[in-house]
Every structure is written in C-alpha cells, then in structure tokens.
Amino acid sequence: MRGFHRKAPFLFFNGNTFAELGRQIALAIFRELPATRQKAIASAIAHYIAGVLGREEMVGIVEGMSRSAELVVGTRVKTLKGSLRGVIVRVLDDGRVALRADGSTSELIALPESLVPEE
C-alpha cells in the first residue's frame, strides 16, 4: 500500500485514500483482538502508509498489540497510550487486574486488554 501511495495515482487525498484502505484491512485481519488494540494497530498501519511512521515503529506496535499479555502479580505494565505505568498487585476472579500506579499507594482496577507489559 505504501508503494501505491508514493506513486500518487490520485490527484487529491492520495494519502488518506491508501491509509484508509490499510486501516480497514488491518481491522479485518485483527478482528479477534479487543477493539482498543484493533484501533491502535489500524492507526499504526495507516500512519506507516501515509509516511509519518517508520517501518520498525509500526512493526513494534503491531507485534506489541498482537501479543497476549500474561498479566500476573508483579508484572510491570503500562496503558495502551503509555499515560500510566505501574505493577500488577492482584488478578481478580473475573479476569480484571488491580494495579498500583508508579508513585501511588492506591490500587486501580483495569481490563487486561487495556494494558501491555513494559519491556
């Protein structure tokens, strides 16, 4: 797709055309993932096609969002956007996790699909 975008076959909105094609294909391919992860992958692919994200960064995002996280007590995690970092302190019976944000003594409850392990 990126190569077709670079050839500029359309006069107007060339980037948006191919980025949207890539986004829709990504959503179809990764439809088994939670919606938040699908959107992150689709956005990374669209940005790569439009030329605003490098290949290595795009691949890193796709691989990171595709991985199934093994969230156990003691795992360091961050939110999908990286706005919060912390450590898992409990795994609840319903599958949600309790985490303690860095610099805090409070516990936050989160869905596992909204978190990724820190590397």
Side-chain angles (χ1 to χ4, degrees), residues 4-62:
F4 289 114
H5 166 54
R6 295 278 182 238
K7 291 179 183 179
F10 303 115
L11 186 55
F12 299 107
F13 306 116
N14 189 54
N16 290 341
T17 300
F18 286 103
E20 184 59 25
L21 286 171
R23 185 179 286 111
Q24 292 304 317
I25 291 169
L27 290 172
I29 291 171
F30 295 100
R31 69 180 174 267
E32 300 297 321
L33 294 176
T36 52
R37 290 179 182 242
Q38 284 180 26
K39 288 178 186 175
I41 289 172
S43 178
I45 291 172
H47 281 89
Y48 169 72
I49 290 169
V52 296
L53 186 65
R55 185 182 194 297
E56 290 176 12
E57 294 85 4
M58 183 266 305
V59 169
I61 292 169
V62 171

Side-chain angles (χ1 to χ4, degrees), residues 53-102:
L53 186 65
R55 185 182 194 297
E56 290 176 12
E57 294 85 4
M58 183 266 305
V59 169
I61 292 169
V62 171
E63 287 178 347
M65 293 294 114
S66 299
R67 253 190 315 232
S68 173
E70 282 296 319
L71 300 180
V72 296
V73 174
T75 303
R76 289 210 41 84
V77 294
K78 64 181 178 179
T79 57
L80 291 177
K81 293 187 178 184
S83 59
L84 181 99
R85 289 171 161 54
V87 63
I88 302 294
V89 292
R90 288 185 297 132
V91 177
L92 305 175
D93 292 337
D94 63 3
R96 296 177 301 158
V97 295
L99 66 117
R100 182 166 294 119
D102 292 346

